Amino acid sequence: MTQFARNARAATRALRDLFPETPLQRNDHLSARYGADIWLKREDLTPVRSYKLRGAFTAMRKVRDARPDQRSFVCASAGNHAQGVAYACRHFGVKGTIFMPVTTPQQKIAKTRTFGGEAVEIVLTGDYFDQTLAAAQAWCAEQKAHFLAPFDDPDVIEGQASVGVELLEQLGRAPDLVVLPVGGGGLASGVTAFLRSEAPETDFRFVEPAGGASLLAALEAGGPTALPRVNSFVDGAAVARLGQLPFSMLDWVRPDQVHLAPEDRICITMLEMLNVEGIVLEPAGALSVDVLPELADRIRGRTVVCVTSGGNFDFERLPEVKERAQRYSGLKKYFILRMPQRPGALREFLMMLGPDDDIARFEYLKKSARNFGSVLIGIETREAGNFERLMAVMEEAGLNYRDITGDDALAEFLV
């Protein structure tokens, strides 16, 4: 047994003072679909609904053991790390100062305050996370507090490794494959470091949001590199730069072991897990399940563990998730039509729609002294193939149109 494995087991035992092990549940629905033995490690069921509590607690515990007089801790986070730190601060009875961007949703601020109670102070500063992080680190140095990094910290990684300790004990044997989501790399590096020591026959796959592929970028560059832009939809894993320490523990990973999940496809997975299984997952929490169709051929007949890393989902986002899912699956499209400004033109267009087509959005402003006007129209249908028929009918009628569904900038502005 390696020293890291010993430390991970010790971290796991210490966590029992805080919460019981999260369930490892066999999922009959997914197992039947893929002809495999698929288990979900339910990190969405920790007290703060994500695995982040493990690393925050472990790092804080080890600092307190080494320096009992250290009673002030700082972090910068807009999400799950903040909630984990807040919960740990209240447990240890220490002061936590949590810096969050001004743009952080009120729901996340309220939950962080609830978990930390009087033990934490929340400071809202900066429009972007980099500004928030700089402010937190400057304040931390001035106040001689201890900064709790979200992933680039050996004690945090040790705490996240407890996920691997638990799943191996719960399963009672080495899984054939473990699928892990990746953001900054703390969870992936911790779990793989433990399992490679204790279950060397286990294989791994890693899943990143397509708009935040920091691990793949680091592997291709030979080290952590900052992405030029990041899609923030998968906020729990949308990290511009993989941590240096996690990379040093993941540099053995082959690029073909890393899978990229389109943000809109993740929405389909989230809705399916909610509607079929009654499991609420945040976008990052759905990553490991979302990639299963890509792995279908290689997982048949094998034992697979998917780590569902978090369930902090604000249901006010549900309409957006449904919208993205419909667009990705081809069941909803947006068009700009150039329609003649004459009586009966709209009626003629409506007659082109099929029995399963429904208008979900319609905007038209009649303009004087023009022969044609522009119409923004959103159409939902039951089968993606119905749009091929509709577009063929519009072209046959000589109707000038443009499909803007895949134009992110234009669709975001208009829709």
Side-chain angles (χ1 to χ4, degrees), residues 110-257:
K111 288 184 71 175
T112 301
R113 187 173 285 117
T114 297
F115 290 134
E118 295 182 359
V120 302
E121 176 186 0
I122 296 174
V123 178
L124 300 178
T125 182
D127 291 329
Y128 302 100
F129 179 73
D130 287 347
Q131 298 169 338
T132 306
L133 177 62
Q137 291 174 329
W139 190 91
C140 186
E142 179 184 324
Q143 299 295 319
K144 295 183 172 54
H146 182 86
F147 187 78
L148 286 171
F151 47 79
D152 212 351
D153 180 291
D155 296 334
V156 169
I157 292 173
E158 214 170 84
Q160 318 304 27
S162 63
V163 173
V165 177
E166 289 180 10
L167 74 83
L168 190 59
E169 292 176 349
Q170 291 168 310
L171 192 62
R173 64 185 190 279
D176 295 309
L177 179 69
V178 174
V179 186
L180 291 157
V182 180
L187 176 68
S189 58
V191 172
T192 57
F194 175 78
L195 290 178
R196 291 180 81 205
S197 165
E198 301 299 291
E201 61 270 45
T202 296
D203 193 10
F204 301 94
R205 288 296 182 274
F206 307 88
V207 193
E208 302 186 277
S214 59
L215 173 59
L216 185 59
L219 294 173
E220 291 176 342
T225 181
L227 300 175
R229 65 187 64 84
V230 173
N231 185 323
S232 62
F233 176 74
V234 188
D235 48 359
V239 175
R241 182 187 177 94
L242 191 80
Q244 186 65 51
L245 180 56
F247 176 76
S248 71
M249 300 172 68
L250 293 169
D251 59 0
W252 53 271
V253 175
R254 304 186 313 272
D256 65 2
Q257 290 178 282

Side-chain angles (χ1 to χ4, degrees), residues 1-12 58 61-62 158:
M1 183 185 296
T2 64
Q3 186 59 50
F4 182 88
R6 292 189 187 91
N7 293 346
R9 291 188 185 278
T12 306
T58 301
R61 174 181 60 82
K62 296 187 77 171
E158 214 170 84

